[in-house]
Amino acid sequence: MIDEGPPEDGAADTPIGRGELAAPLKLEQFLPYRLNVVASLASQALSRIYADRYGIGVPEWRVLVTLGQFGMMTGKAVGAHSHMHKTKVSRAVALLEKRKMIGRRANRADLRESFLSLTPSGRAIYEDLAPIALNFAKRLAEAVDPCDREAFERAIDRLIDRSAELSAEIARSRRGS
Amino acid sequence: MIDEGPPEDGAADTPIGRGELAAPLKLEQFLPYRLNVVASLASQALSRIYADRYGIGVPEWRVLVTLGQFGMMTGKAVGAHSHMHKTKVSRAVALLEKRKMIGRRANRADLRESFLSLTPSGRAIYEDLAPIALNFAKRLAEAVDPCDREAFERAIDRLIDRSAELSAEIARSRRGS
DNA sequence: AGGTTTTAGTTTCGTGTGCAACTAAGATCA
DNA sequence: TGATCTTAGTTGCACACGAAACTAAAACCT
């Protein structure tokens, strides 16, 4: 159908002419894309481990780790600490509860929420998975040149902050459209 | 609300006691998690821009950019270059074609595949979005201290390689289970 | 007190996704 | 040439997701 002409421009890196700077936008150098690639590769690889062992997914894993770290907290707090939407938390909690990995106890002082915590078997699973996960993260991080590691961690911190800012800015500009 | 119970263990870096090293596994310091957070924040923020403007999602965006970069290529090549599953490519291509942003031309020499390329209106959209996206990436990257930037980019390259290796290793060990 | 607003959490609903099965076309080898 | 294997791309299916609606309980007002 559309017959698309010849290769368009010769892919020369001549800086162009039109009013705008025609930076090339190479996908493989484009930061948001690169972040997505590395995140999804790492996440997928790790999740296969706990999916194989215990049949849980990323949201359940995050709930498990958060409760393993803090011991007892509400769903809201779990969501805040693990950057998860409340529906995701709700469903992950429901599954983990069905599998008897976590328990709930109503908060007598506020019946809307309940306190979640690991059951003994949930904790056993957590203690099985945690060192495996840490080892995975360690092997991943070891790929980075030791003298780049500090800079890298700093950079990630900055990027998390900034992307949250940009996200909020865009949401704001959208509201006022 | 939940003010984070007592510090659990003193977070001392004492090298252990039980057979295993009892490193704490704090989610907020856990590399795969951190990568996911920054990637999804950045990706979501950026995608809102092109979703608002042209009603396309991430897969369509990637196809658009890839074709903008290479001019004319097969779906397979698009998928390889943009790290996308062939079904994702297929559906993104179908949508973009329906919206007349890209065109297909059968490859007379191999009828299984066809060559994809931007239509003039597709290219116009690409040329509208590309500078916006580049500006977004620039503002994002500017959050990183200039003297950390090189190290950061190197680190991401290494992590992409390593996470692909780990992913393959895990898939392999799973096959032989 | 009683009415409104906010909040924690669940459910519904439309959509996106990956896997596996499938189709159609090439490649390979006899 | 025909039989088998591989490959490019599509589709069916089951499931995961987020937005929005909803429920029940607090919080906030006079």
Side-chain angles (χ1 to χ4, degrees), chain A residues 1 4 27-28 33-34 36 43 48 52 69 81 83 139 148 153-154 157 162 167 169 174, chain B residues 27-28 33-34 36 43 48 52 69 81 83 117 139 148 153-154 157 162 167 169 174:
Chain A
M1 322 318 175
E4 171 62 21
L27 193 59
E28 71 276 14
Y33 168 76
R34 283 157 61 77
N36 255 290
S43 194
R48 265 200 289 267
D52 282 354
Q69 183 176 346
H81 188 257
H83 266 92
R139 293 185 61 199
D148 288 347
E153 293 292 343
R154 266 196 306 273
D157 283 331
R162 176 62 64 95
S167 187
E169 176 185 315
R174 198 152 71 137
Chain B
L27 192 60
E28 72 275 15
Y33 168 76
R34 282 156 63 76
N36 254 289
S43 194
R48 263 201 290 268
D52 282 353
Q69 182 176 347
H81 188 257
H83 267 92
S117 55
R139 293 185 60 199
D148 289 347
E153 292 292 343
R154 267 196 306 272
D157 282 332
R162 176 61 63 94
S167 186
E169 176 186 315
R174 200 152 71 135

Side-chain angles (χ1 to χ4, degrees), chain B:
Chain B
M1 319 298 178
I2 275 38
D3 73 317
E4 154 110 18
E8 201 47 40
D9 69 351
D13 46 20
T14 44
I16 323 53
R18 285 207 6 278
E20 289 310 313
L21 62 142
L25 184 43
K26 301 208 169 132
L27 192 60
E28 72 275 15
Q29 296 172 3
F30 186 61
L31 183 55
Y33 168 76
R34 282 156 63 76
L35 291 171
N36 254 289
V37 169
V38 66
S40 68
L41 281 173
S43 194
Q44 244 194 323
L46 176 61
S47 75
R48 263 201 290 268
I49 295 176
Y50 46 73
D52 282 353
R53 291 192 152 226
Y54 298 106
I56 61 175
V58 176
E60 292 79 22
W61 160 254
R62 287 191 185 172
V63 171
L64 210 66
V65 170
T66 305
L67 292 178
Q69 182 176 347
F70 293 106
M72 162 119 75
M73 63 202 308
T74 67
K76 169 117 185 152
V78 170
H81 188 257
S82 61
H83 267 92
M84 287 201 292
H85 193 270
K86 62 182 179 172
T87 61
K88 229 185 211 174
V89 175
S90 175
R91 291 189 256 246
V93 163
L95 179 67
L96 291 173
E97 197 187 11
K98 199 175 63 178
R99 304 245 180 113
K100 311 248 192 284
M101 298 183 191
I102 70 176
R104 309 166 105 111
R105 196 171 47 110
N107 177 7
R108 304 279 247 62
D110 184 347
L111 293 177
R112 289 171 302 181
E113 63 190 18
S114 35
F115 294 120
L116 308 169
S117 55
L118 297 178
T119 61
S121 79
R123 178 156 293 274
I125 290 168
Y126 168 74
E127 273 164 12
D128 176 45
L129 286 179
I132 296 174
L134 284 165
N135 184 53
F136 176 90
K138 180 161 155 283
R139 293 185 60 199
L140 183 58
E142 277 169 358
V144 177
D145 188 309
C147 50
D148 289 347
R149 278 178 203 156
E150 275 185 52
F152 171 71
E153 292 292 343
R154 267 196 306 272
I156 293 286
D157 282 332
R158 291 292 83 74
L159 289 174
I160 288 174
D161 296 345
R162 176 61 63 94
S163 57
E165 288 165 20
L166 289 174
S167 186
E169 176 186 315
I170 289 164
R172 210 177 312 122
S173 87
R174 200 152 71 135
R175 245 185 289 288
S177 72

